Amino acid sequence: MSRVGKMPVKIPEKVKVSVDGHLVKIEGPKGKMSFPFNPRVAVSVDKGEVHVTRPDESRIAKGLHGLTRTLVKNAVDGVVKGYDRGLEISGVGFKAEVKGKDIHFTLGFSHPVVFRLPEGITAEVDAKQTKLTVKGVDKHLLGLTAAKIRALRPPEPYKGKGIKYAEEIVRRKEGKTGAA
């Protein structure tokens, strides 16, 4: 039995969880979320807890057992607390500003880069326009959005210019030395 999969997920107050076929729907104070799960596992809701069980001991069912339970737990945490991811922009003249559902970046290209935020994701920029915080309910979509923003101009190892995660450490390289 999976150690992660056999633990029930407690449903906090103000959160509704329902299972419709192979779709889990979760509503909470921060928003709504739904995701499909594999038919090789069963998800049930009773007495304020969500239980994930597997019908057999096949290798795939064992793997999906813990995964499905973790997806349910992340969704419940997302609609209660929400998730956020910090990004830092470094480089001379590099900045970002939020305009509605778009983020306008100045990243040293000959043109401004406009990034459209997906539905359910919001962004905030600090006063210096170099720190960006992306927030949302869906942990997977949030990570995907942060990775796409970082991919616009990944940090380079010589001067460290580009967009990096707040907790990321960029290993710096030594530049060329003059041959005498």
Side-chain angles (χ1 to χ4, degrees), residues 65-133:
H65 190 201
L67 171 73
T68 305
R69 189 259 179 205
T70 303
L71 291 174
V72 171
K73 176 75 173 134
N74 287 344
V76 169
D77 288 348
V79 297
V80 172
K81 295 181 258 179
Y83 291 104
D84 63 338
R85 190 76 197 250
L87 296 156
E88 293 177 358
I89 303 168
S90 58
V92 177
F94 288 19
K95 63 181 182 173
E97 63 181 307
V98 178
K99 293 182 181 175
K101 291 290 286 176
D102 293 335
I103 306 174
H104 293 262
F105 291 99
T106 306
L107 298 172
F109 299 122
S110 61
H111 56 85
V113 178
V114 179
F115 183 84
R116 183 108 178 126
L117 290 170
E119 196 65 39
I121 302 292
T122 58
E124 296 174 356
V125 179
D126 73 335
K128 291 184 180 179
Q129 297 181 327
T130 57
K131 288 187 181 5
L132 177 70
T133 306

Side-chain angles (χ1 to χ4, degrees), residues 10-160:
K10 296 204 183 328
I11 302 172
E13 291 179 23
K14 302 178 187 173
V15 176
K16 293 180 189 173
V17 179
S18 63
V19 179
D20 182 29
H22 293 292
L23 189 72
V24 177
K25 296 178 182 177
I26 301 169
E27 292 182 36
K30 293 265 184 181
K32 297 178 184 179
M33 205 179 141
S34 66
F35 65 92
F37 63 92
N38 197 297
R40 293 182 191 232
V41 293
V43 178
S44 61
V45 180
D46 56 68
K47 297 179 186 170
E49 292 182 335
V50 179
H51 296 277
V52 180
T53 55
R54 62 176 188 245
D56 58 7
E57 295 296 314
S58 69
R59 186 180 175 116
I60 279 201
K62 285 180 179 182
L64 291 170
H65 190 201
L67 171 73
T68 305
R69 189 259 179 205
T70 303
L71 291 174
V72 171
K73 176 75 173 134
N74 287 344
V76 169
D77 288 348
V79 297
V80 172
K81 295 181 258 179
Y83 291 104
D84 63 338
R85 190 76 197 250
L87 296 156
E88 293 177 358
I89 303 168
S90 58
V92 177
F94 288 19
K95 63 181 182 173
E97 63 181 307
V98 178
K99 293 182 181 175
K101 291 290 286 176
D102 293 335
I103 306 174
H104 293 262
F105 291 99
T106 306
L107 298 172
F109 299 122
S110 61
H111 56 85
V113 178
V114 179
F115 183 84
R116 183 108 178 126
L117 290 170
E119 196 65 39
I121 302 292
T122 58
E124 296 174 356
V125 179
D126 73 335
K128 291 184 180 179
Q129 297 181 327
T130 57
K131 288 187 181 5
L132 177 70
T133 306
V134 187
K135 296 180 179 183
V137 175
D138 188 350
K139 190 175 187 179
H140 174 73
L141 184 62
L142 179 77
L144 194 63
T145 304
K148 285 181 182 177
I149 290 173
R150 183 184 178 276
L152 295 174
R153 186 80 183 229
E156 52 97 11
Y158 295 102
K159 292 185 180 178

